[in-house]
């Protein structure tokens, strides 16, 4: 694969199709230095074999929630994209008796939101997406206990996305 930085700040990734097997779709993966690899596109059709990652299409994440301890189980952009979402209201996280955590937030008042992603930071660990793309309504999400470590302390943030943002 080859990645080329464009003058507008976007990046075009191109690749050659494999000569063996049947490809039904592709997903573009990215790794930021010191961070885990993650998907920055949804499923892409097998043709064409290039994809442009747009810029300026995600808003800032919400302020972090207060730390919770998990219970043991018992405007248009220059590139023509939709306006980047504004910052959601501060995330509220509540530890549930079954070991899950319910995160809620208020929608941003600026920009266009087509989905959200929940970001979790476990004490001493890097922040990561703990959900896939979530519909814009409702503005709450319950993180299953199987995704969390009992007794660990977490903070949560909500990342707003729009149709031109591809990830997590």
């Amino acid at each position: 694969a080859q990645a080329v930085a464009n003058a507008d700040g976007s990046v075009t990734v191109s690749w050659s199709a494999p000569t063996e097997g049947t490809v039904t779709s592709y997903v573009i993966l990215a790794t930021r230095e010191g961070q885990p690899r993650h998907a920055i596109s949804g499923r892409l059709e097998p043709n064409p074999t290039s994809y442009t990652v747009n810029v300026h299409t995600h808003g800032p994440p919400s302020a972090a929630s207060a730390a919770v301890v998990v219970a043991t189980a018992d405007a248009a952009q220059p590139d023509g994209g939709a306006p980047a979402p504004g910052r959601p209201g501060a995330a509220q996280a509540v530890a549930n008796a079954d070991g899950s955590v319910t995160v809620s937030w208020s929608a941003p008042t600026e920009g266009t939101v087509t989905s959200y992603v929940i970001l979790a930071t476990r004490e001493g660990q890097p922040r990561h997406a703990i959900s896939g793309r979530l519909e814009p309504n409702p503005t709450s999400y319950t993180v299953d206990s199987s995704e969390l470590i009992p007794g660990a302390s977490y903070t949560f943030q909500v990342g707003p996305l729009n149709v031109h943002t591809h990830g997590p």
Side-chain angles (χ1 to χ4, degrees), residues 3-23:
V4 176
N6 301 313
D8 66 357
S10 65
V11 174
T12 300
V13 179
S14 58
W15 60 93
S16 299
T19 57
E20 297 178 16
T22 303
V23 174

Side-chain angles (χ1 to χ4, degrees), residues 64-147:
S65 70
V68 294
V69 176
V70 177
T72 38
D74 216 59
Q77 300 296 317
D79 63 2
R87 183 181 301 270
Q92 303 293 315
V94 176
N96 302 313
D98 65 357
S100 66
V101 171
T102 299
V103 180
S104 59
W105 62 94
S106 57
T109 57
E110 303 92 26
T112 303
V113 175
T114 58
S115 60
Y116 293 100
V117 65
I118 305 300
L119 305 168
T121 306
R122 189 174 80 212
E123 191 171 35
Q125 299 296 313
R127 180 176 70 179
H128 70 282
I130 198 161
S131 74
R133 285 183 179 215
L134 305 171
E135 294 294 323
N137 287 301
T139 54
S140 66
Y141 177 75
T142 299
V143 180
D144 190 77
S145 62
S146 66
E147 299 290 325

Side-chain angles (χ1 to χ4, degrees), residues 33-106:
E33 186 175 337
Q35 299 295 315
R37 181 176 62 185
H38 65 281
I40 59 172
S41 75
R43 287 183 180 227
L44 304 173
E45 294 295 321
N47 288 306
T49 54
S50 66
Y51 180 76
T52 299
V53 180
N54 292 316
V55 294
H56 309 298
T57 55
H58 58 83
S62 69
S65 70
V68 294
V69 176
V70 177
T72 38
D74 216 59
Q77 300 296 317
D79 63 2
R87 183 181 301 270
Q92 303 293 315
V94 176
N96 302 313
D98 65 357
S100 66
V101 171
T102 299
V103 180
S104 59
W105 62 94
S106 57

